[in-house]
Amino acid sequence: MRKRTSVSNVGNNCGHLQITGNAEISYEDLKALLEKSQNLVLVDVRTKEEVDKGRIPGSIHIHVDSVESAFAMEPEEFKAKYGVTKPSLDAPELVFHCQMGMRGKKATSKAQDLGYVNARNYKGGYKEWSAKEGN
């Protein structure tokens, strides 16, 4: 039986959402995070050409082959290059995605290897997102 990923409000944690469960996140859970979370770091690991055709709002682009070097950067360098604060190793809301899930899974695995214990993959990818959002 597959363990389901869920999003929940965590006690007295200033209303922050926390992802629990396995290393995947659903469309519904990602949508909830996008609507409610101030701390979500959503990383699009597709090619620049793919991203230029459409993207999930709020995502930052880091190609799958650059994930390891990007997340090994010093925080100041990461912010200068990507325009967002580098997440901490225990960041609860770090989500990777690609077009259909495979590159996102690879990026999530790389991040976990670097110590990002809560890194998750949106396995539906931009393909599912654009179908459900009408993009």
Side-chain angles (χ1 to χ4, degrees):
M1 176 189 255
R2 193 176 126 177
K3 192 174 178 184
R4 179 160 159 56
T5 300
S6 64
V7 175
S8 60
N9 266 328
V10 178
N12 196 3
N13 197 12
C14 302
H16 297 298
L17 295 172
Q18 181 174 340
I19 303 169
T20 57
N22 63 19
E24 294 178 347
I25 185 170
S26 70
Y27 165 81
E28 292 78 13
D29 291 344
L30 179 58
K31 184 109 171 134
L33 280 174
L34 283 166
E35 290 172 1
K36 296 181 179 123
S37 176
Q38 300 277 326
N39 300 313
L40 173 65
V41 178
L42 178 60
V43 182
D44 187 333
V45 300
R46 300 176 297 157
T47 65
K48 181 182 182 321
E49 293 75 23
E50 288 173 300
V51 173
D52 288 345
K53 293 177 186 173
R55 65 189 312 157
I56 298 175
S59 63
I60 62 169
H61 178 236
I62 303 175
H63 188 272
V64 65
D65 292 336
S66 300
V67 166
E68 198 166 3
S69 61
F71 283 87
M73 288 178 176
E74 291 299 318
E76 300 80 20
E77 184 182 2
F78 187 93
K79 183 158 188 153
K81 183 160 186 170
Y82 300 109
V84 297
T85 302
K86 181 182 173 186
S88 62
L89 291 176
D90 63 350
E93 298 160 358
L94 175 60
V95 178
F96 294 88
H97 83 87
C98 60
Q99 186 67 23
M100 298 189 319
M102 293 308 296
R103 289 172 289 173
K105 183 176 182 179
K106 181 178 177 182
T108 301
S109 179
K110 286 180 180 184
Q112 289 172 337
D113 289 347
L114 288 169
Y116 288 89
V117 295
N118 296 313
R120 302 289 181 258
N121 175 35
Y122 168 38
K123 77 174 203 166
Y126 185 74
K127 182 176 183 178
E128 178 183 61
W129 181 269
S130 61
K132 291 191 177 201
E133 293 292 310
N135 296 339

